[in-house]
Amino acid sequence: MINYRSSVSNQYSDKFKNKGYLILKTKNNNSLKYLQKKILQTIVKECKIKAPKDLLNEDFLNNFHKKIKYSDLNEHRVNIIRKINQDQNFKKNYFLSAKEILYALVGNELSMQNRINLSIQFPNDASSLLPLHSDIWSGDSPFEVVVWIPLVDCYGTKAMYILPPNHYKKVENNFKKYSNKSSTQLFNKIKKNLEWIDIKFGEILVFNQALPHGNIVNKEKETRWSMNCRFKSVFSPYGDKKIGEFFEPITLRAASEIGIRYKLPEIKK
Amino acid sequence: MIKVRGYMSSREFMGERVPQHVQNLVIRNYCNQNKYQYLLSAVEYAMDGSYLILKQIIQEIKNLDGIGFYSIFQLPYNDKDRILFLEKIIKKKKFLFFCSEGFIVKNRKDINRINTIWLIKKNLNQSLKNFSYFKFNK
């Protein structure tokens, strides 16, 4: 394959392909701060909690499980997601936080998921788990990547896990053997090969959603807060999540704008 | 209260088929969430290329505030017809909403947004004709 990519792009691409993910410090701190501030303001309003003196202090989010009733968590989460997605600048800043990595790994003509997801995982909460899965198995296109942004430091069981590509090959080759097993049985089978992704606030994780990934019960003493959103190249194949209902172009270039509108002149009436 | 008429398809649109009762449920739910008065839906004829019912709704639009669709891809397939329809709505100071995509059309900028997605989808359907990643890679 001819490769005219920049050396930085090659470096990112090689890491991404070999590890199944890439973590970089954002080059756009202002955008990340915007996301953080917006979320915190929304939480304070939605949950009717007194705003701390230093709103941006991570302790507020880390100790969130002490501030609301567990039974109200899901309703708050849904309302917070709705409110942040009503803010058009939120989406833009999400993209800007990860722009450099996306341009290197996916391209510069991107479709972005319409709604950004927010995940909140209280300590010892088994109800908001995402068991082992690959997004492609449930209809996502393998041309997508997930941009996963933590709002707090994630480590140990507070982190997510992923099966690296070299170990995934074995699962793929033996998939028939696993097909009658539950995701927990599959998890136990591959547990030793999983990689736990430690990541700090200020860093951006982009991962290959084709690789099995998930989380387990958060046994740490802090609440996990993370956002996720998918990106793909505008003109690559879509899976079950289509353009319009799930994705929208965000960086369409002039040549494509012209191309999609082009019509050959008519020569017959 | 904002009065809206639903518009439903009885045939495939851009390769998608959604049962009418599902389209109806989705539009009704959207209306409830936004506190619109839902004046039931008109169902388009099943014949390919028919937009007779859509044209009929336009004729009674003065009694409505807007029209609710399940998807943007139920709009007229022909580019000129689609834009003409959208411009008519804007001119009459009415609005459209599309539940599946969560889009609203109220001004020219919105028309451009919808139209760009339409054109990308059309081009994708051309360039990826008969291409299903999942079938292709079997």
Side-chain angles (χ1 to χ4, degrees):
Chain A
M1 179 179 88
I2 292 177
N3 181 0
Y4 293 158
R5 291 191 307 235
S6 68
S7 59
V8 174
S9 183
N10 277 333
Q11 193 193 328
Y12 289 175
S13 300
D14 290 345
K15 256 193 190 169
F16 185 75
K17 284 189 286 182
N18 292 334
K19 287 178 77 73
Y21 69 90
L22 189 64
I23 293 177
L24 286 178
K25 245 188 142 36
T26 181
K27 287 263 166 83
N28 194 336
N29 252 316
N30 287 343
S31 286
L32 192 61
K33 289 276 180 214
Y34 180 92
L35 303 179
Q36 188 195 29
K37 198 171 169 191
K38 179 77 194 176
I39 291 234
L40 287 160
Q41 287 169 338
T42 310
I43 294 167
V44 166
K45 219 169 162 186
E46 159 65 24
C47 304
K48 297 183 178 71
I49 302 173
K50 202 179 152 207
K53 276 184 192 150
D54 177 9
L55 191 65
L56 300 185
N57 187 325
E58 264 187 61
D59 288 349
F60 177 73
L61 291 180
N62 273 325
N63 293 311
F64 187 68
H65 54 281
K66 296 173 185 165
K67 295 178 173 65
I68 66 155
K69 276 196 286 182
Y70 168 72
S71 54
D72 295 335
L73 173 63
N74 199 44
E75 199 187 330
H76 286 319
R77 192 182 64 85
V78 170
N79 288 337
I80 295 166
I81 291 177
R82 187 169 44 78
K83 283 174 185 161
I84 58 173
N85 279 292
Q86 281 166 355
D87 174 11
Q88 278 305 310
N89 287 327
F90 196 85
K91 249 185 97 171
K92 188 176 178 183
N93 281 293
Y94 198 97
F95 157 65
L96 291 174
S97 302
K99 180 177 152 188
E100 191 216 359
I101 319 174
L102 286 167
Y103 277 16
L105 297 180
V106 187
N108 63 7
E109 204 166 40
L110 296 166
S111 272
M112 179 179 186
Q113 185 175 329
N114 289 340
R115 281 170 67 83
I116 292 161
N117 286 321
L118 174 71
S119 161
I120 310 168
Q121 217 186 340
F122 276 7
N124 301 312
D125 172 18
S127 70
S128 42
L129 292 186
L130 259 181
L132 181 81
H133 68 286
S134 153
D135 295 6
I136 316 302
W137 298 344
S138 43
D140 276 85
S141 162
F143 292 82
E144 300 164 15
V145 298
V146 178
V147 173
W148 197 94
I149 302 184
L151 290 160
V152 289
D153 293 353
C154 298
Y155 55 89
T157 55
K158 197 181 166 195
M160 64 169 276
Y161 61 77
I162 194 164
L163 184 68
N166 55 331
H167 291 293
Y168 175 61
K169 260 287 156 258
K170 281 178 234 157
V171 173
E172 197 181 63
N173 293 338
N174 294 303
F175 206 77
K176 271 188 190 147
K177 240 173 40 188
Y178 301 123
S179 58
N180 59 349
K181 294 192 170 18
S182 70
S183 62
T184 312
Q185 286 169 308
L186 179 56
F187 173 81
N188 287 329
K189 198 92 193 151
I190 63 172
K191 198 160 70 177
K192 63 178 187 302
N193 297 321
L194 295 173
E195 192 167 329
W196 297 81
I197 304 176
D198 278 11
I199 182 167
K200 288 190 164 47
F201 173 71
E203 294 177 325
I204 307 285
L205 163 68
V206 182
F207 71 89
N208 174 359
Q209 57 172 0
L211 298 169
H213 59 277
N215 56 30
I216 57 167
V217 174
N218 173 11
K219 293 281 182 197
E220 314 306 328
K221 287 177 179 149
E222 299 165 343
T223 300
R224 186 186 96 183
W225 289 79
S226 62
M227 298 176 285
N228 66 78
C229 182
R230 291 169 182 78
F231 291 84
K232 69 189 288 300
S233 169
V234 174
F235 291 103
S236 62
Y238 289 74
D240 197 39
K241 293 172 178 169
K242 313 273 195 230
I243 186 145
E245 65 183 38
F246 195 86
F247 284 103
E248 184 167 7
I250 55 164
T251 52
L252 204 60
R253 302 293 155 136
S256 297
E257 281 190 53
I258 293 166
I260 59 173
R261 286 172 175 82
Y262 184 78
K263 285 195 176 18
L264 280 171
E266 282 183 32
I267 54 169
K268 278 184 198 166
K269 278 262 173 183
Chain B
M1 202 173 196
I2 294 170
K3 283 187 203 164
V4 298
R5 170 82 67 215
Y7 175 75
M8 304 206 302
S9 296
S10 56
R11 61 172 189 265
E12 274 191 3
F13 43 92
M14 291 290 266
E16 310 286 337
R17 182 198 165 259
V18 182
Q20 288 180 35
H21 71 277
V22 176
Q23 294 177 51
N24 192 37
L25 271 173
V26 172
I27 299 171
R28 182 189 300 279
N29 183 46
Y30 189 99
C31 288
N32 287 343
Q33 280 180 351
N34 290 283
K35 301 191 171 42
Y36 299 158
Q37 187 185 352
Y38 180 33
L39 301 174
L40 296 180
S41 287
V43 182
E44 186 56 76
Y45 296 148
M47 292 81 84
D48 259 351
S50 164
Y51 296 100
L52 286 166
I53 298 298
L54 193 58
K55 284 175 188 158
Q56 198 176 306
I57 303 179
I58 290 266
Q59 281 174 12
E60 56 151 338
I61 198 99
K62 64 173 186 292
N63 304 319
L64 304 168
D65 295 297
I67 310 172
F69 293 68
Y70 172 82
S71 165
I72 58 171
F73 297 114
Q74 290 170 293
L75 289 168
Y77 184 86
N78 179 283
D79 298 341
K80 276 185 196 158
D81 292 347
R82 184 172 60 254
I83 290 171
L84 208 68
F85 167 75
L86 293 169
E87 280 177 346
K88 256 186 205 166
I89 295 290
I90 304 298
K91 228 178 186 172
K92 291 180 187 289
K93 296 195 168 33
K94 308 291 177 181
F95 79 106
L96 305 175
F97 63 89
F98 303 91
C99 307
S100 179
E101 296 85 7
F103 291 167
I104 289 181
V105 171
K106 276 184 176 162
N107 53 43
R108 277 178 202 285
K109 209 173 142 198
D110 297 333
I111 293 183
N112 188 42
R113 184 186 187 198
I114 300 266
N115 203 41
T116 300
I117 292 174
W118 247 96
L119 294 172
I120 289 174
K121 175 98 167 173
K122 269 189 167 179
N123 277 271
L124 279 168
N125 285 0
Q126 278 302 315
S127 58
L128 303 171
K129 216 169 196 172
N130 303 320
F131 180 97
S132 161
Y133 184 84
F134 302 103
K135 279 183 202 157
F136 185 76
N137 259 22
K138 261 189 181 170

